[in-house]
Amino acid sequence: MYSPLFFIVLHGIFLVCASNAWSSLKSIPRKTIQYEDNNVITFKGEGVWNYSTMLIREDLGLLVVGAREAVYALDIKDISVAKSEVLWKVTEEKQKECTSKGKHPDIDCRNYVRMLHQMNDSVMYMCGTNAFSPTCDYMTFGDGQLKLEGKQEDGRGKCPFDPFQRSSSVMADQDLYSASSLNFLGSEPVILRTSPISLRTVFKSSWLNEPNFVYMDVVPESEDSPEGDDDKVYMFFSENAVEYDFYNKLVVSRVARVCKGDMGGQRTLQRKWTSFLKARLDCSGPEPSLPYIIQDVFQVRHKKWRKSVFYAVFTSQSSSTDRSSAVCAYDVTDISEVFSRGKFKTEVTVEMSDVKWVTYNGELPVPRPGACINNAARSAGIMRSLDLPDKTLQFIRDRPLMDDAVRPITGKPLLLKRGPLLTRLVVDHVTVSDGQSYPVMFVGTENGYVQKAVNYDGEMHIIEEVKLFQNAESIDVLRLHQNQLYAGSASGVVQMPVSNCSRYSSCLDCVLARDPYCAWDVPSQRCSRLPTSPEDGKSNLIQSLKDGDATRCPTTAPMEPKILSLVLGNNIRLPCYPESNLAQVNWNFPGESLPYPKKKYIIYNDGILLYNASVSDAGRYTCTSVEQVKGRDYTQTLAIYDLREQSAVVVTDKIKTTLGILPEIHTTSSGLHKSEEPPWYSKTQSSESKWIVMQVALAMLSVMMACLLIWNLYMGHISPFMCCGRRQLIKSPRSLPEREYMHTGNDAVDSKQHMVSLCVTTNSGLEATSFHRNANKGDTPTDVCVFKYITDESEI
């Protein structure tokens, strides 16, 4: 029996291995470009939102963009130029009908263009949600104008009802393949082919179980096929798994395919797919977790289809705050192998209640279920799917799920990233100076960034991330065309070049970026775009992608220090901006690295802050960055500062200036001029300087208040003796003014008089509380208080 110590050690080993696996796949972009510096081209229609569909018309030089109730034809070279637009609004009747079903009138009950396809040189096919009533129409572009044909068709199964539900489609030989829903509630998912012979999937959970469709594309597998195989349409989606026993619904990622030549069955599976097969997609990280969920796919096509690759973005389905994303790549031949030679799963009943899915080990019907019509089938007299025997069709009707999962090419993700989730991706193949070709991935995120990444022999390197949108909004669509990247979100469309080599300011920065598009041009001494032909100027370019070897870079001249004045008691900020997020920034002060045992230094990303500067802080501060690539350290000096003590007289002048006191006037040979500000002067004062100024101001204010008080005492406006608030204490009754209070009977007059209480204190030391003119004659009050009204302010 194992001891607890054994399990603790085993768990620790597992954690170390998982940590090493995560760290080996870098997820930190080397350079971050903020929105203010992205230098992109943007487009946004007035009052139009949700730019989620794009169609590249290279023949017309257009980027056709579908949004909410609008379609735009943008210049593909400069999308800020809108050549034409067409509005496709919802009718008032449709909007009322949608609202009556409980949908939001301004959000759900609009027409979101969700599908755009080119049918031929002159006609495009488009579909929109149309207030939860999917509708399709034809659109043309002629004489520089977009035009809707007005030939509306039912869009159920082609376009989703819900504008925020995922769907996918592809046009092949003018046949539309689509994956969407057939009903208002979205509970009848379907993979549909709209053609003279329309086909769809079967309404069974073993076929589609609450799917979320992501991507669809064609692979021409009939080309150079010795088996005489058919072309395939592949679709990617996620759905609730039927093959796992789980306490809750478990979502898994799938890849499915159908044959283009499929015509359905004769009796079984009439008007249904006879070639529909699906398999699980595996893309898991080093840590045990729930299966990652597929979000987007991009096919990198090759002249030889067997070398084509599908790249896919996955996100974790864990509810924890530590979210992560992954990118996996799949070989087309590996997917095809699972469908053509893999085992099937079948459902069995256990204890007359539960249904389990297990591996099917029985004999397979002939022809193989789900296979396309090939030479072997034709030799047996089966020329089309209508000729397939019922035994084969019944098998595929009940068992469309494969037992084997499709594994990624490398056996693990190409990219693992924690933080904001990845949403969309496109991939470009770049041929570099050494003649090799590398796939460069452009991945969109949920907070509006695009990351450029490339895999060098198993090492994923994120070159940069660029913030495309000012707000943190999700990137909903990405397209790539002739070195230009197009991105769409809820607020607009952005166009950016795949590379901007001018961002790399030095040879070291250019080479260590390991950007396949860029190389350091030695004659011009700048980082420039790699020539289209690798032989052009090859000897004059410095580029090292796999190794990041920058030893060939020329030696740069030493950096001159920047002289700054040290103001005693001030806070001093010394900026230092590293060129790479992967570099470690170091500060050095006369022979020692900072921070050393002093609490007055704060080192942050863009510099260092020195608190309460003293004489001992004078000296030279050097900021360097160290970036490690393939075990080599590259050190670069970023900034040098010389702090020199400043005279205290300058501090006094600064306080005078702050208080508004005129500076001294000095006479020179050229005449009178205002004394110059010291070189260290800055409009942003330190907190210590502000405190000194505040103390001086308070002192001056106190002096002024004292002078004011003395002046009022001298003028007699204020008596040094106070009694009962505003009552004045007098020594003798003789000092009382003769005019006493008299009631005039006129309220207006009485209200204008100001009442003053004058008190006389006798030897008794008691204060009278009242005085009446009709007091008893025999009573001689010892204390007299006289209440008078003063009508003249001079009497105060």
Side-chain angles (χ1 to χ4, degrees), residues 191-193 197-201 262-264 271-273:
I191 297 176
L192 178 68
R193 182 180 71 191
I197 303 178
S198 297
L199 297 180
R200 64 174 179 85
T201 47
D262 197 337
M263 302 174 67
R271 298 281 183 173
K272 309 293 190 301
W273 296 105

Side-chain angles (χ1 to χ4, degrees), residues 465-629:
E465 63 176 358
V466 183
K467 189 175 183 180
L468 299 184
F469 300 95
Q470 187 172 8
N471 298 325
E473 52 188 301
S474 175
I475 292 180
D476 297 327
V477 58
L478 277 178
R479 293 290 185 268
L480 184 68
H481 177 70
Q482 291 184 352
N483 299 321
Q484 295 292 320
L485 186 70
Y486 306 94
S489 71
S491 65
V493 186
V494 167
Q495 173 188 357
M496 64 168 280
V498 294
S499 67
N500 188 350
C501 301
S502 62
R503 291 190 180 126
Y504 310 119
S505 57
S506 64
C507 178
L508 187 66
D509 189 26
C510 181
V511 176
L512 295 186
R514 302 165 72 187
D515 190 333
Y517 298 99
C518 304
W520 183 259
D521 191 337
V522 177
S524 63
Q525 290 297 300
R526 64 186 180 90
C527 193
S528 58
R529 180 67 186 268
L530 200 68
T532 306
S533 175
E535 287 74 20
D536 295 344
K538 179 180 178 180
S539 59
N540 295 326
L541 298 176
I542 301 177
Q543 187 186 54
S544 179
L545 301 181
K546 290 184 179 180
D547 300 328
D549 186 2
T551 56
R552 291 175 54 196
C553 285
T555 304
T556 58
M559 180 178 292
E560 292 294 329
K562 185 177 182 179
I563 300 175
L564 299 177
S565 295
L566 175 66
V567 183
L568 300 181
N570 266 15
N571 296 338
I572 301 175
R573 177 181 177 272
L574 303 178
C576 179
Y577 304 99
E579 295 178 338
S580 170
N581 296 330
L582 304 178
Q584 179 181 354
V585 177
N586 299 320
W587 281 90
N588 184 272
F589 173 67
E592 298 189 49
S593 297
L594 298 181
Y596 54 90
K598 284 187 179 181
K599 296 182 179 180
K600 60 194 310 181
Y601 297 102
I602 292 183
I603 297 178
Y604 54 99
N605 292 337
D606 296 336
I608 187 173
L609 185 63
L610 172 63
Y611 274 110
N612 192 18
S614 60
V615 177
S616 61
D617 295 318
R620 175 166 294 188
Y621 292 79
T622 304
C623 176
T624 59
S625 66
V626 180
E627 187 169 359
Q628 187 178 75
V629 180

